[in-house]
């Protein structure tokens, strides 16, 4: 049973995410800015280490191997950074949605984020897709997102805060995210094998930092009573819409891949790299884009729901495709 649950994404990290929210609900004071533990500051240092280790694991040879198929890369990146936000904007204009709410802001933030790295590559491998192309696209998406995500968010955030400066956000993200990745990449020759040897340990460190960010974000939100206006029914309804969102993008990508006559491995890569959104990048960028920590927990909620769904549904689809090879 444990192995079956793990295959569909219901693993220890998933339950820990839920546990962090419960812990933040009962003990919000431990994770706020005023806490003597200074957990938000610890999380900020952990973020830079996450991306430094990520840079260490970037293999130049594998990246070069995925460079040639430009049509595939273009489709994936356009899906990630253009199709997702346009779908959300279309829904906001066609249906009676409260576009001033934090949950709506969170949904649009989810749409503007880059693709995830590890789960995309793993699912492409399980389903029998183009692995070098998956590694290339997942890696380049994280770098592009440092610039594209703040630009997408600037319009909405400027409406809420006239002092919002997108250039300041990009510079800060470049220092906290891009610079550690570049440093790690150039040290790959010396420390890459060490990073591969301790990959499981580094993954646990990554997950620990993300759990800390989620805990501190929800602590601030619960302490500020930001969830008081949202019922359980609204959260369940949000989960239903996030599931439809994932399936809609997955279906569109399948049609586009067939229309462009991609091979089966390339089609699989488009499906799994194009439909994912990164919880790591979302948590990291959220701390910069939303300087008010009380807001961040609510804004991250749609992303966390989508993250769980993309793991569960994506894993089941990947397993099915892998058996059909």
């Amino acid at each position: 049973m444990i192995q079956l649950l793990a295959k569909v994404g219901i693993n220890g990290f998933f339950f820990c995410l839920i546990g962090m929210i419960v812990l933040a609900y009962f003990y919000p004071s431990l994770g706020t800015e005023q806490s003597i533990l200074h957990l938000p500051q610890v999380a900020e240092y952990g973020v830079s280490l996450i991306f430094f280790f990520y840079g260490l694991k970037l293999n130049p040879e594998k990246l070069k191997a995925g460079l040639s198929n430009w049509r595939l890369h273009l489709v994936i990146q356009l899906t990630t950074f253009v199709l997702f936000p346009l779908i959300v904007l279309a829904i906001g204009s066609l249906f009676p949605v409260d576009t001033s709410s934090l949950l709506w802001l969170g949904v649009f933030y989810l749409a503007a984020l880059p693709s995830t790295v590890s789960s995309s590559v793993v699912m492409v491998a399980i389903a029998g897709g183009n692995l070098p192309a998956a590694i290339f696209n997942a890696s380049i998406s994280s770098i592009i997102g440092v610039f594209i995500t703040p630009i997408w968010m600037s319009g909405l955030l400027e409406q809420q805060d006239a002092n919002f400066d997108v250039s300041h956000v990009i510079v800060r993200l470049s220092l906290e995210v891009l610079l550690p990745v570049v440093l790690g990449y150039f040290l790959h020759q010396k420390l890459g094998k060490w990073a591969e040897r301790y990959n499981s340990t580094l993954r646990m460190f990554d997950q620990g930092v993300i759990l800390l960010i989620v805990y501190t974000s929800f602590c601030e939100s619960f302490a500020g009573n930001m969830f008081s206006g949202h019922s359980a029914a609204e959260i369940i309804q949000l989960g239903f819409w996030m599931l439809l969102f994932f399936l809609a993008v997955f279906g569109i990508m399948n049609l586009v891949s067939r229309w462009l006559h991609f091979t089966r491995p390339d089609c699989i890569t488009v499906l799994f790299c194009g439909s994912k959104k990164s919880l790591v990048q979302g948590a990291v960028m959220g701390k910069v884009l939303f300087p008010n920590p009380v807001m961040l927990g609510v804004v991250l909620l749609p992303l966390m729901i989508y993250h769980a769904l993309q793991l569960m549904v994506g894993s089941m689809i990947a397993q099915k495709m892998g058996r059909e090879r």
Side-chain angles (χ1 to χ4, degrees):
M1 178 62 71
I2 293 174
Q3 290 178 345
L4 178 62
L5 291 173
K7 284 182 179 180
V8 296
I10 308 297
N11 52 22
F13 181 63
F14 174 83
F15 286 114
C16 285
L17 281 173
I18 305 301
M20 288 298 103
I21 299 174
V22 174
L23 189 64
Y25 178 78
F26 287 106
Y27 302 101
S29 61
L30 294 178
T32 60
E33 293 282 354
Q34 294 76 29
S35 171
I36 60 173
L37 298 178
H38 301 293
L39 295 181
Q41 291 83 355
V42 173
E44 287 185 11
Y45 291 113
V47 162
S48 295
L49 284 174
I50 282 178
F51 285 95
F52 173 71
F53 294 141
Y54 170 61
L56 281 182
K57 290 182 280 187
L58 285 179
N59 190 317
E61 297 303 320
K62 290 182 179 179
L63 290 178
K64 289 176 184 176
L67 275 174
S68 58
N69 198 343
W70 64 270
R71 287 200 312 160
L72 175 67
H73 308 325
L74 188 62
V75 168
I76 292 173
Q77 300 308 321
L78 286 176
T79 302
T80 302
F81 293 112
V82 179
L83 178 64
F84 264 94
L86 290 181
I87 289 176
V88 175
L89 291 176
I91 291 173
S93 62
L94 294 174
F95 298 96
V97 178
D98 182 9
T99 56
S100 63
S101 72
L102 286 179
L103 284 180
W104 168 259
L105 183 63
V107 172
F108 188 77
Y109 178 52
L110 149 72
L113 284 169
S115 176
T116 187
V117 177
S118 57
S119 64
S120 294
V121 174
V122 168
M123 289 184 193
V124 167
I126 291 171
N130 185 337
L131 198 55
I135 294 171
F136 174 83
N137 277 282
S139 302
I140 204 69
S141 177
S142 298
I143 296 171
I144 295 173
V146 171
F147 306 98
I148 301 297
T149 301
I151 292 173
W152 267 118
M153 296 302 300
S154 60
L156 291 177
L157 293 177
E158 283 171 357
Q159 295 175 10
Q160 296 189 353
D161 182 3
N163 296 319
F164 179 80
D165 184 359
V166 67
S167 60
H168 171 74
V169 170
I170 291 175
V171 169
R172 186 174 168 187
L173 286 173
S174 297
L175 292 174
E176 292 185 12
V177 175
L178 193 56
L179 181 59
V181 171
V182 172
L183 288 175
Y185 179 77
F186 283 112
L187 289 172
H188 174 80
Q189 293 281 358
K190 293 184 177 180
L191 299 175
K193 291 183 178 179
W194 174 86
E196 289 181 10
R197 187 182 309 124
Y198 294 100
N199 186 49
S200 59
T201 304
L202 294 178
R203 187 183 300 114
M204 290 178 63
F205 173 80
D206 294 353
Q207 292 176 345
V209 173
I210 299 307
L211 291 174
L212 188 57
I213 292 175
V214 168
Y215 173 66
T216 55
S217 301
F218 275 84
C219 281
E220 296 284 1
S221 296
F222 284 128
N225 296 315
M226 290 301 290
F227 287 100
S228 58
H230 302 288
S231 64
E234 282 183 289
I235 305 303
I236 294 171
Q237 187 180 35
L238 177 64
F240 172 75
W241 285 112
M242 290 299 96
L243 177 60
L244 285 184
F245 194 14
F246 175 80
L247 294 176
V249 172
F250 207 88
I252 292 171
M253 287 298 90
N254 189 34
L255 292 174
V256 170
S257 299
R258 293 178 184 276
W259 178 62
L260 293 173
H261 303 291
F262 283 158
T263 63
R264 187 178 187 276
D266 285 354
C267 180
I268 288 171
T269 302
V270 169
L271 290 175
F272 289 103
C273 289
S275 61
K276 299 288 188 301
K277 289 294 178 175
S278 173
L279 178 61
V280 175
Q281 289 276 24
V284 171
M285 290 188 181
K287 291 180 70 65
V288 179
L289 285 166
F290 307 101
N292 180 358
V294 177
M295 296 171 51
L296 187 55
V298 182
V299 171
L300 285 179
L301 188 59
L303 174 60
M304 292 182 62
I305 294 173
Y306 189 91
H307 172 79
L309 290 170
Q310 73 182 10
L311 286 177
M312 289 185 284
V313 180
S315 295
M316 288 187 284
I317 296 173
Q319 293 282 342
K320 184 177 182 297
M321 287 183 165
R323 289 194 296 266
E324 291 173 350
R325 280 189 288 177

